[in-house]
Amino acid sequence: MSHDDGRGGLPRTSLEDLERIPVGPDAGSYSLEDWEQLRDLAVGRMQNGALPAGTRIRWGRLALAALPGKYPEERSQRLVIDSARVRAYLIREFGPDATDPARDLAALRADVLRNLGMPRETAARLADGWRTLPREQMLRLRRIKNMLVDRSLRYGRACPCRRPKAGPRHRPGRHNGAPQGLTAPVLHWT
């Protein structure tokens, strides 16, 4: 990608031209940084409330299309986490749509569960005592929590992760050996 403006390695071009990059014949020639810039630009535009809904959805699809270039290793957990965040945002903002892979809530749920990296029951059991786990296991649970995405997805009983209403929340700065910002996930589909 040419370095001809303030977008870093991205060319100054239309959304239509950018949408052709992931499927074009030169897709394999772009660097990881180029794919990351494309994803970042697309996420920013997807979140721009001044744009029409249809355009924002297209930007979200472009963000998803850039992820395999950003994470070339097959189906990495980081790719699943990033994809889940974009898809959850699209669903939250524009509603679920089973005919749109970017907004298919059932497919998002299945993809996340398939890629937890451990059985859901094991993760739920570990989450109950997360503060006593070694740091590496805490971080693994954190990655799982990140894949369980957005607790604000409230379409019926579709929320993939919920927190109990009672009980203290972890406060940054009071981590007792836990990574800052880690909160205990409840790993159950509601």
Side-chain angles (χ1 to χ4, degrees):
M1 294 186 197
S2 68
H3 296 272
D4 60 348
D5 67 11
R7 294 185 188 186
L10 295 176
R12 178 170 290 284
T13 189
S14 67
L15 171 58
E16 292 78 17
D17 289 340
L18 291 173
E19 287 172 321
R20 286 191 276 277
I21 289 173
V23 295
D26 296 332
S29 67
Y30 297 116
S31 71
L32 296 177
E33 292 79 21
D34 291 334
W35 289 113
E36 186 168 0
Q37 288 174 1
L38 181 59
R39 181 249 175 229
D40 290 348
L41 173 68
V43 166
R45 299 284 169 82
M46 171 188 76
Q47 294 174 345
N48 182 345
L51 296 174
T55 302
R56 292 174 65 197
I57 291 170
R58 286 176 59 200
W59 281 109
R61 289 184 190 131
L62 180 57
L64 292 170
L67 290 176
K70 181 179 175 184
Y71 302 113
E73 63 277 358
E74 283 187 37
R75 298 301 296 169
S76 76
Q77 212 171 40
R78 289 175 33 205
L79 183 145
V80 174
I81 290 168
D82 232 359
S83 173
R85 286 181 179 156
V86 171
R87 291 162 68 188
Y89 180 87
L90 289 170
I91 291 167
R92 186 179 66 246
E93 290 294 310
F94 307 107
D97 181 349
T99 65
D100 179 358
R103 296 187 294 139
D104 185 338
L105 183 58
L108 171 59
R109 291 173 58 173
D111 197 28
V112 166
L113 286 176
R114 191 174 37 258
N115 289 287
L116 287 179
M118 69 174 63
R120 183 176 65 182
E121 296 76 19
T122 301
R125 185 176 37 76
L126 289 172
D128 288 339
W130 70 273
R131 284 188 170 103
T132 63
L133 296 174
R135 179 177 174 76
E136 191 52 45
Q137 282 187 313
M138 285 183 195
L139 293 174
R140 187 169 185 199
L141 283 177
R142 176 64 178 215
R143 284 189 295 274
I144 290 171
K145 177 186 165 199
N146 287 343
M147 279 198 309
L148 294 175
V149 296
D150 197 324
R151 285 173 215 66
S152 67
L153 288 174
R154 300 278 185 213
Y155 294 98
R157 297 179 57 78
C159 180
C161 179
R162 65 182 167 97
R163 175 181 306 288
K165 292 183 185 263
R169 293 186 74 174
H170 175 73
R171 306 241 189 308
R174 297 182 183 162
H175 52 82
N176 300 325
Q180 273 196 295
L182 182 65
T183 55
V186 179
L187 303 171
H188 304 286
W189 293 103
T190 59

